[in-house]
Amino acid sequence: MTSEESGLYDDLRNNRIREGVGLERNIRVLVECVSKLIHCDAICYPGRFLDKFVNRDIMLRLLDIVLAALGCLIALPLLAALYVAGLFDTGLPLFRQVRVGRWQKSFVLVKFRTMRPGTASVATHLADVSAVTPFGSFLRKTKLDELPQLWNVLRGEMSLVGPRPCLPNQHELIRERQLRRVFDVRPGITGLAQVQGIDMSTPVLLAEIDARMIQTLSPVSYFRYILLTVLGRGAGDRVKNKMD
């Protein structure tokens, strides 16, 4: 494609008509544009096609809002049942904790409580396994403790897919994520590290995996991580036994 035709191609993408160019040339370039779209795997890989014409951040944010809203509506009876069960378990069903979000701004993460009230506020892999209640253990195994974070997604503090938000006192992980610009995106409920079973006990590896996910994230991989999580893939942040 010549420079003139390339300019016309850009105009066609932006719904503008180039004056002074014959109808035959317009049609020929339009056909070539369509051919290029087909050969760029627009049909086989719709994520690539969308990435070429739609801002990825805007697209993923729209997906977050739609899916989180639907999730809240569909899971409302389950959320209510888990809340009531939590009242009998610890008396305080919801757990709120300050986490580090996008641009390193703090926000309050909400999830179902899985440990006894008064447990030290430390990274999950440093917590005492004896602090986890039987009901909390069930919530962790099924990952249902994460459901209230749909509220964080709707508020724009989190995404369904992204690096897991860390605590303000996890200085090594924060430093490694700063180096790799992981804080440029919203933290997520799940992601590549979660489905691979990589937790915050290995901060360098976790930051590397987070950065790789951010670089390659597309609508296709976005849905893939969600599906793998729903199917039970990965363990995420684990409370480790004393012998681990």
Side-chain angles (χ1 to χ4, degrees):
M1 182 183 291
T2 66
S3 58
E4 180 185 7
E5 291 169 343
S6 178
L8 178 58
Y9 170 62
D10 291 335
D11 284 348
L12 289 169
R13 285 179 54 187
N14 294 318
N15 297 319
R16 296 195 302 266
I17 299 175
R18 173 72 65 83
E19 296 180 0
V21 178
L23 177 61
E24 182 181 351
R25 175 68 64 83
N26 273 314
I27 294 175
R28 182 162 61 86
V29 175
L30 180 59
V31 170
E32 187 172 347
C33 290
V34 173
S35 176
K36 283 182 176 292
L37 291 180
I38 294 174
H39 285 89
C40 76
D41 299 329
I43 296 176
C44 296
Y45 301 96
R48 292 186 193 174
F49 171 75
L50 291 172
D51 282 346
K52 291 175 71 68
F53 295 95
V54 182
N55 181 280
R56 186 184 69 169
D57 289 343
I58 295 176
M59 186 196 321
L60 296 181
R61 180 61 191 145
L62 290 175
L63 287 173
D64 279 340
I65 294 172
V66 172
L67 294 180
L70 287 175
C72 285
L73 290 174
I74 295 172
L76 188 58
L78 177 59
L79 286 166
L82 293 176
Y83 184 88
V84 172
L87 287 173
F88 289 97
D89 183 46
T90 63
L92 298 170
L94 293 180
F95 174 71
R96 298 176 177 86
Q97 190 178 53
V98 175
R99 297 290 182 100
V100 181
R102 191 179 193 183
W103 313 125
Q104 291 184 252
K105 293 182 179 179
S106 298
F107 73 99
V108 178
L109 177 143
V110 184
K111 61 190 301 186
F112 282 123
R113 185 180 296 276
T114 61
M115 299 185 189
R116 294 181 178 85
T119 301
S121 182
V122 297
T124 304
H125 64 278
L126 297 176
D128 189 344
V129 67
S130 64
V132 181
T133 68
F135 181 61
S137 179
F138 163 76
L139 290 177
R140 284 181 171 275
K141 287 179 181 178
T142 57
K143 302 175 184 174
L144 292 174
D145 60 319
E146 311 286 0
L147 277 179
Q149 290 169 56
L150 292 174
W151 174 247
N152 291 117
V153 174
L154 288 175
R155 285 173 55 87
E157 298 162 336
M158 293 182 65
S159 172
L160 290 177
V161 175
R164 285 297 294 164
C166 59
L167 293 168
N169 59 9
Q170 291 181 278
H171 303 298
E172 184 179 1
L173 178 56
I174 290 174
R175 182 173 61 253
E176 295 298 330
R177 282 178 164 176
Q178 283 176 328
L179 292 173
R180 295 167 177 82
R181 302 188 64 177
V182 173
F183 292 114
D184 286 2
V185 301
R186 291 180 180 85
I189 296 177
T190 189
L192 179 58
Q194 281 63 50
V195 300
Q196 291 188 351
I198 300 170
D199 64 17
M200 295 185 180
S201 63
T202 53
V204 176
L205 175 60
L206 178 58
E208 291 175 349
I209 295 298
D210 288 340
R212 185 193 309 169
M213 176 189 64
I214 292 169
Q215 293 171 359
T216 60
L217 188 61
S218 68
V220 174
S221 58
Y222 174 95
F223 283 107
R224 179 173 175 269
Y225 295 139
I226 294 174
L227 179 61
L228 289 174
T229 302
V230 171
L231 295 177
R233 177 76 173 271
D237 294 336
R238 299 181 294 269
V239 179
K240 298 186 176 180
N241 295 319
K242 297 286 187 180
M243 64 183 69
D244 287 351

